Amino acid sequence: MITTFGAVASVAYSASATADPFTVRANSGLNVRSGPGLGHAILGALPTGARVDSTGPSQNGWMPITFRGRQGWVSDAYLTAVGAGNTPSGEVPAERGTAYTTAALNVRTGAGLSFRVVTVLARGTRVETTGVETNGYSQIAHAGSLRWVSTRYLNQSAPSTPQPAGPGLPAITSTATATADLLVRTTSGAVFDVIETVPAGSTLQLTGVTENGRTQVVHEGQVAWVNSLYLSGSANVPKPPTAALPDTIGTKYATTALMLRSSPDDQFTAYGDAPAGSALQVTGRVINGRAEVVWNGTVRWVTAQYLRDTPPTTNTGTSGPSKFNLPGLTPNARNLLAQIEAEFPEARTIYGVRQDPLPDHPSGRALDIMVYTNADLGGRIANWTQENARSLNVEYVIWNQRIWSVARSGEGWRYMADRGSITANHRDHVHITVVR
């Protein structure tokens, strides 16, 4: 039901709805008829994705629109509201309250994320409220119309004016604490340089700006970005919703340290590791070769091929590592794995044989050493491998969107094109391929 002040629940319009126009979107090629019914002549058609304005309330499932200078009708079964809720200025109440924005705040045409953003108010802006609240939004009077803003970012008192962090830097609006070792990046996008990794417990200065799931900070005199999921202590940082846990069908055990992912897709957030031998409750769902599990009261995804029904037997042989069980590796790759474990005991997750279009991993000649946000560890592993490439029979190394190979060692580390994600760009792991 769409009313003057309501949110969009579905495309079903009441005959008593106001005639105030709102925007709709055609979900498929849609005939426009001369009247509200299939018996009326077809005037033309709207293409998929067309945006039109209604001119009044629907009649028997048909919405009136203006089409080529005349009135037409379309079936509302094929329409979706996008940004409804504009209210005539004459209905703005005379008596209004006052509130102030506590962050940069979207002003919308309706009470929900599906409604169009009219403008963005700066932190500390005074707004006039009507006293109407719904769906977590407050109604305000803005530029002669009734609009909606998120209630959580309103306060009855004007906030103190934030001071600039330094010459040419944005103002600090709040602080937050890093809940894990946190990568400090130069941008919020997929292409970035690593400034440094700050340890868990570090206090970060926030500017109140978030983009692409990352929060802008002022770090050591420069503007930088960090992953919003690993911050706490600030209302400006969005927290992921808590979902109900699915039913589990049994227990399986990790045969090696397993990365805990937020989703089974290539785009994901890493939440650390489940150590080798860990018992994981499985739900039975496997997508993209990854199994859904319940770990410490949360839903996560792990690589399914490293799960088994019984606890793994620890490998204590002298020719291989003791805490990793990576079957199918070539002798050179097994030797590399043992050397890395001895040199870098803090490397807790290493992957070996897996399906891949390139032959390195399926043939057992490649290792992926996961470092996640620990860029310092990744750099040390990459440099150590480069320095010992001859004795380790290394063919090439990829780290931090750069590649080094023995065959072209005189060129040093060569830049690689952007592949679209942190993992694809090898910013959270070091890839090493050995010769046969």
Side-chain angles (χ1 to χ4, degrees):
M1 178 74 68
I2 294 182
T3 65
T4 302
F5 307 113
V8 179
S10 65
V11 185
Y13 304 96
S14 168
S16 62
T18 71
D20 183 48
F22 52 87
T23 306
V24 294
R25 176 175 61 86
N27 291 331
S28 61
L30 187 59
N31 287 332
V32 181
R33 297 183 179 271
S34 60
L38 293 174
H40 294 272
I42 296 175
L43 304 178
L46 295 173
T48 300
R51 291 176 180 255
V52 295
D53 287 334
S54 68
T55 59
S58 64
Q59 296 183 22
N60 299 321
W62 292 83
M63 183 65 64
I65 66 170
T66 298
F67 182 75
R68 295 176 182 172
R70 60 177 292 186
Q71 179 170 281
W73 297 79
V74 291
S75 172
D76 64 19
Y78 300 97
L79 302 175
T80 301
V82 287
N86 295 332
T87 303
S89 59
E91 296 186 19
V92 176
E95 294 186 7
R96 300 185 290 273
T98 299
Y100 296 87
T101 62
T102 62
L105 190 56
N106 290 330
V107 178
R108 298 181 180 273
T109 57
L113 293 175
S114 63
F115 290 92
R116 177 171 54 89
V117 175
V118 176
T119 188
V120 180
L121 301 177
R123 178 181 182 271
T125 301
R126 178 180 178 275
V127 297
E128 296 180 336
T129 58
T130 68
V132 178
E133 295 184 9
T134 183
N135 196 32
Y137 284 78
S138 293
Q139 191 183 66
I140 66 171
H142 178 78
S145 297
L146 293 178
R147 304 300 187 194
W148 297 84
V149 294
S150 176
T151 304
R152 66 179 293 194
Y153 297 113
L154 293 180
N155 196 294
Q156 298 303 309
S157 301
S160 58
T161 302
Q163 298 299 313
L169 294 175
I172 302 302
T173 61
S174 61
T175 61
T177 302
T179 61
D181 291 349
L182 195 54
L183 197 71
V184 181
R185 313 151 46 103
T186 54
T187 75
S188 64
V191 180
F192 63 92
D193 288 325
V194 177
I195 299 173
E196 70 167 312
T197 300
V198 297
S202 299
T203 299
L204 297 164
Q205 296 179 313
L206 312 188
T207 67
V209 178
T210 58
E211 292 178 1
N212 303 322
R214 297 176 179 98
T215 295
Q216 189 183 68
V217 301
V218 174
H219 180 71
E220 296 186 352
Q222 69 180 104
V223 175
W225 299 82
V226 296
N227 192 323
S228 301
L229 290 173
Y230 298 104
L231 294 176
S232 65
S234 172
N236 293 334
V237 180
K239 300 300 187 297
T242 302
L245 294 178
D247 294 333
T248 58
I249 61 172
T251 302
K252 288 187 178 294
Y253 298 86
T255 60
T256 185
L258 280 181
M259 178 166 49
L260 298 161
R261 300 165 173 252
S262 60
S263 82
D265 304 319
D266 290 336
Q267 299 286 341
F268 65 93
T269 299
Y271 291 100
D273 307 325
S278 297
L280 301 105
Q281 301 298 311
V282 295
T283 68
R285 295 181 65 201
V286 177
I287 300 176
N288 296 331
R290 298 175 181 110
E292 185 182 47
V293 302
V294 174
W295 172 260
N296 289 341
T298 57
V299 176
R300 297 289 181 249
W301 295 82
V302 298
T303 304
Q305 73 178 71
Y306 297 115
L307 294 177
R308 64 172 56 177
D309 294 331
T310 57
T313 302
T314 302
N315 182 3
T316 58
T318 58
S319 62
S322 60
K323 71 175 182 179
F324 298 105
N325 183 8
L326 303 181
L329 296 179
T330 66
N332 282 339
R334 288 199 302 272
N335 176 63
L336 173 65
L337 179 63
Q339 297 296 327
I340 287 176
E341 180 183 8
E343 188 72 21
F344 302 99
E346 63 267 50
R348 296 178 298 167
T349 303
I350 300 179
Y351 296 109
V353 176
R354 61 173 170 80
Q355 294 183 352
D356 193 76
L358 298 176
D360 298 31
H361 280 290
S363 67
R365 295 194 299 123
L367 297 178
D368 284 338
I369 301 95
M370 305 303 300
V371 298
Y372 307 115
T373 60
N374 193 340
D376 175 70
L377 175 60
R380 288 191 288 114
I381 292 173
N383 292 332
W384 174 84
T385 305
Q386 177 191 20
E387 293 169 0
N388 297 277
R390 297 292 182 181
S391 62
L392 294 171
N393 294 307
V394 169
E395 182 176 339
Y396 67 88
V397 185
I398 304 176
W399 160 245
N400 200 25
Q401 207 171 336
R402 288 163 175 80
I403 183 171
W404 178 89
S405 65
V406 172
R408 299 171 61 179
S409 59
E411 301 175 49
W413 289 92
R414 308 190 306 276
Y415 183 79
M416 298 179 66
D418 179 29
R419 300 182 181 180
S421 71
I422 291 175
T423 299
N425 286 332
H426 296 76
R427 292 184 181 275
D428 60 1
H429 73 284
V430 181
H431 172 99
I432 307 172
T433 292
V434 297
V435 298
R436 294 187 181 278

